[in-house]
Amino acid sequence: GLIHSGIYNSKTGMNDFNQFIVADKITRDINPDYGSIQKLNTRDSDMTILCEDKIVRMLVNKSSLYNADGTTNVTSSDMVLGQDVPYVGEYGISKNPESFINYGYKSFFTDRNRGAVLRLSQDGLTTISKNGMESYFDKNIRGEGFLIGTYDAKKYEYNVTATLPKIVAKAVYNIEYTRTIELETLDSGITPGMYIEGDNIQVGSIIVAINVGGGDSKFIEIDKDTLSGGVNGVLEIVEKVTVSFNDVSNGWSSFRSF
């Protein structure tokens, strides 16, 4: 649920930020079925609550009165946190608030649990990942790692950077302070530009070449020397990609791997 403090009035000098008086109706419960609250964002005079499994609009200083035909009338209220109204659509923000970005009257974010990328605008929720990229996101953003959202105001593009599912490989013992590593098997999904992690491998190391030596070679080359003790055992190889959604053409405009 939500809780708020007392008010601050710069004209009178009143500052009740340190007061939480429950008798003043300062709390508002959210349906627990929506999951935990991950992000709050103000939209005009209302507030958007992004939960794991639902997106909710919270009325501020007003509430809705329902008519017999199901329509509503918005009325003013002395409650700071008014009625919560869920947006249509069974989507949330999962546990990736870092994917959220707001620009103007539009917001963009991901829902990892459902393999979707969404836009929240005046017409409600839109699943923009369905514009030609539905299967890609359904496959690639359900794993682990951050999903970073940014917005390019010049290109009108929402950019989401994701860590793709890891490839696990096993290294044959390799000497220390080298940039060449021998693997037991060379997975076909391993390509130059992917990050490699493991014992005695420097953080941020990147694969720069595979099949070093040619033929059936299982050697890969990385861009940083290995550390003391050499490399042996399980390695994790990951790829990070950025895909961009153009809000003018309403389509995915670019794909960058790094």
Side-chain angles (χ1 to χ4, degrees):
L2 299 174
I3 185 171
H4 66 85
S5 68
I7 66 171
Y8 171 76
N9 190 322
S10 60
K11 294 182 178 179
T12 63
M14 177 185 293
N15 185 354
D16 289 341
F17 278 169
N18 64 336
Q19 296 188 23
F20 295 85
I21 305 173
V22 178
D24 290 343
K25 300 179 181 179
I26 61 173
T27 62
R28 168 63 69 179
D29 291 330
I30 303 296
N31 190 333
D33 292 340
Y34 298 163
S36 63
I37 296 173
Q38 295 290 315
K39 177 77 177 178
L40 300 176
N41 183 64
T42 57
R43 289 172 61 90
D44 297 326
S45 60
D46 295 328
M47 180 169 59
T48 302
I49 303 174
L50 296 101
C51 304
E52 288 181 63
D53 303 309
K54 199 70 172 177
I55 308 301
V56 179
R57 172 178 169 234
M58 175 71 76
L59 303 180
V60 178
N61 290 327
K62 53 186 176 290
S63 291
S64 293
L65 295 179
Y66 285 86
N67 301 317
D69 59 358
T71 60
T72 60
N73 294 319
V74 177
T75 62
S76 60
S77 171
D78 60 351
M79 297 177 62
V80 175
L81 301 176
Q83 189 169 1
D84 57 286
V85 183
Y87 283 98
V88 176
E90 298 304 316
Y91 293 101
I93 197 172
S94 298
K95 290 189 176 181
N96 299 99
E98 73 279 2
S99 70
F100 179 89
I101 194 73
N102 183 79
Y103 182 77
Y105 59 89
K106 296 180 180 180
S107 301
F108 301 85
F109 56 93
T110 64
D111 186 350
R112 165 167 276 159
N113 292 342
R114 295 159 188 82
V117 184
L118 300 114
R119 176 181 62 203
L120 176 61
S121 189
Q122 293 173 324
D123 58 352
L125 284 172
T126 302
T127 313
I128 58 176
S129 54
K130 289 185 176 180
N131 293 11
M133 294 283 281
E134 184 174 13
S135 60
Y136 174 83
F137 284 111
D138 186 57
K139 174 184 177 182
N140 290 305
I141 70 171
R142 289 181 180 269
E144 301 176 351
F146 290 108
L147 295 171
I148 308 297
T150 60
Y151 192 86
D152 189 330
K154 293 183 178 180
K155 296 181 179 179
Y156 300 101
E157 288 183 345
Y158 170 64
N159 308 306
V160 57
T161 300
T163 300
L164 300 187
K166 298 177 181 178
I167 296 175
V168 178
K170 191 171 183 180
V172 178
Y173 177 74
N174 295 267
I175 62 174
E176 57 192 15
Y177 309 124
T178 181
R179 296 191 177 189
T180 302
I181 300 174
E182 183 181 6
L183 304 178
E184 287 189 357
T185 57
L186 185 60
D187 191 289
S188 60
I190 299 176
T191 59
M194 301 178 76
Y195 288 81
I196 183 168
E197 303 170 354
D199 292 341
N200 299 325
I201 292 181
Q202 295 191 54
V203 175
S205 293
I206 298 174
I207 297 173
V208 296
I210 59 173
N211 296 119
V212 178
D216 295 328
S217 167
K218 298 181 178 61
F219 287 90
I220 61 173
E221 182 181 346
I222 59 177
D223 64 339
K224 298 178 182 179
D225 291 341
T226 58
L227 302 177
S228 174
V231 175
N232 189 23
V234 176
L235 304 175
E236 292 184 341
I237 300 171
V238 298
E239 181 180 9
K240 298 180 181 180
V241 299
T242 295
V243 287
S244 302
F245 176 81
N246 189 282
D247 206 26
V248 177
S249 63
N250 204 37
W252 296 91
S253 59
S254 61
F255 181 101
R256 298 183 293 280
S257 178
F258 63 93

